[in-house]
Amino acid sequence: MGKVYGILGWINFFSFTETKEKIFSYLPWFILKNKTWETIQLKNWKQHNNHFIIQINNIVDRSLASKWTNTEIFIDKSQLPKLKKNEYYWNDIIKCKVFNIQNKYLGIVTDLISHEYNDTLLIKNDFTKNNKKIMIPFIAEKIVKSIDITNKIIKVQWN
């Protein structure tokens, strides 16, 4: 959740689901607050420019809403649609080990970045001298040769 919107307790909200509005069908939401999982009861939501604004139950003014800013929400993975063979969710790719086709270890996926033309794997290798992150375009078959979610291994055409 982003910063507060207005004086009535609305909060800016950014969805990272493929279809942005789909996040509102994955209720309830959860947050980790003070090392305890809490459920969020959504009162209302609206589209606003390229994101959404939301109202949480019992949050009626700006000062109450400010306590919820810069918070990540979580959903129960069992709510997500079942995937077909060779499909995966982004969070399944995080922490996969990446090797090039010559079997050289490149690092571990720390994030995926969505761009207009293609997604990008962000890879970190703790064994290199300068701990540089590598960005590899996520282009299936051409660059990303295989993904083994079970063993958490990705093979890429990359030097």
Side-chain angles (χ1 to χ4, degrees):
M1 291 183 269
K3 56 187 176 177
V4 174
Y5 177 85
I7 61 170
L8 299 176
W10 289 82
I11 303 170
N12 285 288
F13 182 81
F14 300 89
S15 172
F16 296 101
T17 54
E18 192 170 355
T19 305
K20 302 292 185 205
E21 294 84 5
K22 193 77 173 163
I23 191 65
F24 299 106
S25 64
Y26 302 136
L27 299 173
W29 293 346
F30 303 93
I31 63 163
L32 189 59
K33 196 172 183 181
N34 300 324
K35 300 182 182 180
T36 304
W37 287 104
E38 291 187 25
T39 304
I40 294 176
Q41 298 297 324
L42 191 63
K43 180 178 179 180
N44 202 355
W45 66 273
K46 298 178 190 176
Q47 182 141 9
H48 180 71
N49 297 329
N50 63 344
H51 63 285
F52 302 98
I53 55 174
I54 63 170
Q55 266 187 324
I56 299 171
N57 277 354
N58 303 319
I59 305 297
V60 294
D61 64 38
R62 187 176 184 87
S63 63
L64 289 172
S66 67
K67 296 176 183 175
W68 295 84
T69 61
N70 299 318
T71 304
E72 290 185 342
I73 62 121
F74 298 87
I75 63 167
D76 187 338
K77 189 173 181 176
S78 66
Q79 295 181 63
L80 297 173
K82 299 292 181 218
L83 298 175
K84 297 175 186 165
K85 187 177 180 180
N86 296 325
E87 288 186 335
Y88 33 82
Y89 289 108
W90 274 21
N91 68 315
D92 295 330
I93 293 175
I94 304 294
K95 296 187 181 175
C96 280
K97 294 178 182 174
V98 181
F99 296 86
N100 68 13
I101 58 172
Q102 291 82 29
N103 238 11
K104 178 185 174 193
Y105 176 72
L106 300 177
I108 294 177
V109 177
T110 59
D111 203 357
L112 284 110
I113 303 168
S114 184
H115 296 286
E116 184 177 346
Y117 299 107
N118 61 272
D119 299 327
T120 302
L121 294 168
L122 188 60
I123 299 165
K124 184 176 183 209
N125 185 332
D126 291 329
F127 302 117
T128 58
K129 293 177 185 174
N130 54 9
N131 278 341
K132 275 175 79 173
K133 291 188 178 178
I134 303 168
M135 296 177 80
I136 298 178
F138 193 101
I139 302 172
E141 297 177 16
K142 187 171 184 176
I143 295 176
V144 177
K145 297 297 185 178
S146 67
I147 298 175
D148 179 351
I149 294 299
T150 305
N151 295 307
K152 303 290 278 180
I153 294 174
I154 298 175
K155 292 276 190 163
V156 295
Q157 173 74 47
W158 201 258
N159 293 328

